[in-house]
Amino acid sequence: MRRRLAVLALCSAGIVAAASGGDAVSAPPPPPPMHPVAGAAGAGDPYYPDDGNGGYDALDYHVDASYDPPSGHLDGDTTVTAKATHDLSRFDLDLRGLDVHSVEVDGKPAKFTREKAFELVVTPAEPIRAGTTFRTRVRYGGDPAKTPRDGGSENGWRHSADGGAYMVGEPHSAAFWFPVNETPRDKATFTLTAHVPAGWTVVSNGREGPPGTWTDPNPVASYLTTIAIGKFGIDKSTLPDGTPVVSAYAPGAEARRATGGRLPEVLGFLSGKFGPYPQSAAGAIYLDEDIRFSLETQTRPTYAKGAELTTLVHESAHQWFGDSVSVRDWSDICLNECFASYAQWLWAERDGQNLDDRYRAAIEITHGSTDFWAQKLVDMGQGHEFEGVYNKGILALHALRRQIGDPAFDRLLHDWPSRFRHGNATWADFEAMVTRLSGQDLRGFFADWFRGTKLPADAHLFPGSLHS
């Protein structure tokens, strides 16, 4: 008995010795020293150098907003979840106009200042290490309708005819009502929890949750987020695959229910061309407002007064081209608008229209117009992004279709949304894919049609079946 205890004692001693010897499990090394620097005050788009910010990747926005329609006052409480891309001493968010009351980073009070027109500069209590996921909570408030806007497609926060409000705009939108990294380069998931008085309804992106809550689990470019507050009539249904459909009709827009009711038909047709519907939900927001444009707000496009079925086709096509696959730079906006516009031609072809005849007629009308052909479709210059993409862009895509042939063009329509699903892409990516699918040298074609400022050469103007 005593011998056995001695043996056990020796064994125990050996174990202890081994644990403290050369084979011991060493403690993890201390983290490397940090070298924190400020995040950039812009994301790098040459057309809008102050838009967006650097130093982090936004992952999620949770916007909690209370809005009082009679006074127009909004109180916001937004949490931005992000991942640091380098050691951060400070970073910026974009927020226009509204007064900031407090900022916290990971639950600790942070210093903040306002710089330039819309920079909210946040200095956390401690530097943030690269690769760390951190949460920034901003409490703010004010009347967002009083924030200056540039006009055009920058619509800003607007009061609606029924006394409510709505928010659409491009390229600037989200920063009018919540702090954001306002660049399409940094997409993130989005949740809105809205509080409004009884009798008012809030509609936003994605799937409807508890009252006033909307969540899109797919990444969203910030200008494609939205909020609409009104006395809406709501229609709900599902697509054949179970995707929820929620459409809202403002007072005065009820007659457009007949158009809105065709959404499943339109999405079914486009799915046949572009591949499976890529969004978490579907629907529409039909306003009775005289704004100059409708907008492809993700999952639930916003329609101005007078929007017709062709507009429904256009904005629905954006759910693939522009929403799921987003531009990296605004100079590549043709990747959004040229394809959404050509979808309207595809719809007309479905109804029996000969697109070659339509193309030739358009060329005959525009043949002598130097202004029409001077519109560049790529690298068009800041402020000119939306000039040629809706008309010349359609002709360019039809010419491309005839240049590479229907089999390659059909693969392009499927492969592009699939390859870059829920991400970003560039014009260089597009040219590379078309070249690979067609097996052709298309440098001259792209130079003539997309970067050129005059009528393309006949070989590019009338390719394939258009030549006959």
Side-chain angles (χ1 to χ4, degrees):
M1 182 72 174
R2 186 174 296 172
R3 177 176 175 79
R4 185 178 178 190
L5 289 173
V7 171
L8 288 174
L10 288 171
C11 290
S12 298
I15 292 171
V16 173
S20 60
D23 295 332
V25 177
S26 58
M34 293 177 66
H35 303 284
V37 295
D45 190 311
Y47 288 8
Y48 301 95
D50 291 332
D51 284 11
N53 308 283
Y56 63 89
D57 173 22
L59 304 176
D60 178 74
Y61 297 98
H62 192 132
V63 182
D64 192 296
S66 299
Y67 185 71
D68 179 58
S71 68
H73 185 85
L74 180 143
D75 283 313
D77 185 348
T78 291
T79 297
V80 183
T81 302
K83 185 175 183 179
T85 56
H86 63 71
D87 294 342
L88 281 173
S89 60
R90 72 177 207 182
F91 59 92
D92 291 11
L93 292 165
D94 299 319
L95 183 65
R96 299 172 183 267
L98 300 168
D99 297 322
V100 176
H101 306 315
S102 66
V103 178
E104 296 176 0
V105 176
D106 288 336
K108 298 179 180 179
K111 296 179 181 179
F112 63 91
T113 59
R114 307 296 290 272
E115 296 182 4
K116 299 182 180 180
F118 51 84
E119 298 290 343
L120 172 61
V121 182
V122 178
T123 303
E126 301 171 354
I128 301 170
R129 184 176 294 278
T132 299
T133 297
F134 63 100
R135 290 169 178 80
T136 305
R137 183 179 183 182
V138 184
R139 296 179 178 92
Y140 55 97
D143 184 345
K146 294 180 178 179
T147 301
R149 51 187 179 270
D150 291 339
S153 297
E154 186 173 292
N155 199 58
W157 184 283
R158 294 292 187 108
H159 298 298
S160 52
D162 64 357
Y166 62 96
M167 182 67 245
V168 290
E170 186 181 15
H172 303 127
S173 176
F176 282 95
W177 65 293
F178 67 92
V180 61
N181 196 19
E182 192 161 50
T183 170
R185 295 183 177 199
D186 195 6
K187 301 166 70 169
T189 56
F190 175 79
T191 295
L192 169 66
T193 300
H195 313 275
V196 293
W200 295 93
T201 299
V202 176
V203 183
S204 185
N205 308 86
R207 295 187 175 224
E208 188 176 16
T213 299
W214 298 84
T215 298
D216 196 335
N218 295 330
V220 189
S222 60
Y223 77 97
L224 299 173
T225 62
T226 192
I227 182 173
I229 302 157
K231 305 281 189 177
F232 296 114
I234 302 293
D235 290 350
K236 298 182 181 182
S237 61
T238 58
L239 298 179
D241 65 357
T243 300
V245 180
V246 179
S247 293
Y249 299 86
E254 295 90 349
R256 282 182 284 165
R257 275 191 160 101
T259 299
R262 297 188 69 178
L263 178 61
E265 176 189 359
V266 169
L267 293 179
F269 168 75
L270 296 177
S271 295
K273 294 290 184 181
F274 305 151
Y277 179 64
Q279 304 298 348
S280 64
I285 301 170
Y286 279 96
L287 303 174
D288 191 40
E289 308 294 330
D290 288 317
I291 51 179
R292 297 173 56 246
F293 60 94
S294 298
L295 187 66
E296 61 272 18
T297 41
Q298 188 158 306
T299 69
R300 197 155 286 107
T302 304
Y303 295 98
K305 180 185 289 188
E308 300 177 345
L309 180 61
T310 54
T311 309
L312 177 69
V313 173
H314 180 106
E315 307 303 343
S316 296
H318 271 307
Q319 302 307 308
W320 287 262
F321 294 90
D323 291 31
S324 178
V325 184
S326 300
V327 294
R328 177 174 170 79
D329 292 325
W330 286 103
S331 61
D332 294 344
I333 194 64
C334 185
L335 295 173
N336 297 5
E337 300 298 346
C338 293
F339 278 94
S341 299
Y342 193 67
Q344 298 171 227
W345 274 36
L346 294 174
W347 182 263
E349 185 177 45
R350 165 192 178 271
D351 289 340
Q353 187 169 99
N354 185 302
L355 296 188
D356 286 355
D357 290 346
R358 185 171 180 176
Y359 175 90
R360 293 190 189 97
I363 296 298
E364 184 175 351
I365 292 171
T366 61
H367 193 277
S369 173
T370 55
D371 288 344
F372 180 88
W373 296 105
Q375 301 174 109
K376 296 177 70 175
L377 300 177
V378 176
D379 296 330
M380 65 286 290
Q382 194 273 332
H384 301 282
E385 299 93 323
F386 300 100
E387 292 177 359
V389 290
Y390 301 104
N391 41 47
K392 183 182 175 183
I394 295 177
L395 302 183
L397 284 188
H398 192 67
L400 177 64
R401 177 181 175 182
R402 291 303 179 230
Q403 174 70 38
I404 67 176
D406 274 359
F409 191 76
D410 290 345
R411 288 198 300 274
L412 173 66
L413 294 182
H414 277 82
D415 290 3
W416 180 259
S418 174
R419 167 66 180 81
F420 297 100
R421 180 182 174 94
H422 299 319
N424 297 82
T426 68
W427 186 256
D429 295 326
F430 178 73
E431 287 195 7
M433 179 175 284
V434 178
T435 300
R436 176 178 58 81
L437 290 174
S438 68
Q440 299 179 22
D441 182 348
L442 296 168
R443 286 174 292 183
F445 182 94
F446 285 126
D448 252 9
W449 266 108
F450 294 93
R451 294 187 176 85
T453 57
K454 59 184 180 180
L455 188 73
D458 279 354
H460 298 148
L461 193 63
F462 298 108
S465 63
L466 294 169
H467 183 68
S468 56

